[in-house]
Amino acid sequence: MKDTFTNFNEYFLLFPEEVQLKMEILKKAIHSQNPDLEEHIGYQMPAFKYKDKPLVYFAAYKKHIGFYPLPKAIIHFQNDFIERKYKFSKGAVQFPLKEDLPLDLIEKMVQFRIFEINKA
């Protein structure tokens, strides 16, 4: 796998078309939460910044899309992950590729992160 990317499209093109489509849907859902979000590549993953601070990251894998909304969001939404049976850790949640993305939950996590940044 290429080890440096300059934009989302370069990253997306590494994956099969159906995975690219899911990542495009995810990107649009995140963008829809605030017009001031900035795309960038962070830790070799597609990522967003808000007010020049890290907002969320995501990455595609063989069987899932990893979503990285930072630890406080994981703690805040862990009951949702348990209820929906998503694997998660202290910094990430996994959305299986064989399932639709939980756009409602993703949008809530993005809003949570925007709120966190605004109150800091």
Side-chain angles (χ1 to χ4, degrees):
M1 182 181 274
K2 184 177 175 178
D3 62 359
T4 56
F5 309 98
T6 59
N7 60 54
F8 283 21
N9 289 337
E10 285 182 5
Y11 183 87
F12 288 7
L13 289 172
L14 296 172
F15 298 92
E17 190 173 326
E18 62 273 7
V19 177
Q20 290 180 41
L21 179 60
K22 282 194 181 274
M23 287 191 290
E24 194 63 45
I25 290 167
L26 177 57
K27 179 180 99 167
K28 287 179 183 175
I30 295 167
H31 262 303
S32 74
Q33 298 309 296
N34 191 297
D36 297 326
L37 301 184
E38 176 188 339
E39 291 183 12
H40 77 105
I41 300 295
Y43 303 106
Q44 291 307 304
M45 293 183 276
F48 287 87
K49 286 183 179 181
Y50 175 66
K51 294 186 175 179
D52 212 32
K53 297 192 182 340
L55 184 71
V56 296
Y57 301 78
F58 64 93
Y61 299 93
K62 188 173 185 178
K63 295 185 178 183
H64 70 275
I65 290 179
F67 188 71
Y68 306 86
L70 301 172
K72 285 183 182 177
I74 294 293
I75 292 166
H76 186 80
F77 290 98
Q78 68 184 347
N79 288 337
D80 294 282
F81 305 150
I82 293 166
E83 181 181 311
R84 298 182 191 206
K85 297 180 172 63
Y86 293 128
K87 292 181 184 178
F88 67 98
S89 66
K90 66 180 183 176
V93 59
Q94 296 179 5
F95 301 128
L97 289 173
K98 65 183 178 182
E99 298 175 16
D100 290 338
L101 290 168
L103 298 178
D104 61 327
L105 181 56
I106 290 165
E107 290 169 355
K108 286 177 188 174
M109 285 188 281
V110 171
Q111 286 297 322
F112 179 86
R113 288 288 302 128
I114 289 170
F115 177 78
E116 273 192 312
I117 292 169
N118 281 335
K119 77 175 185 174

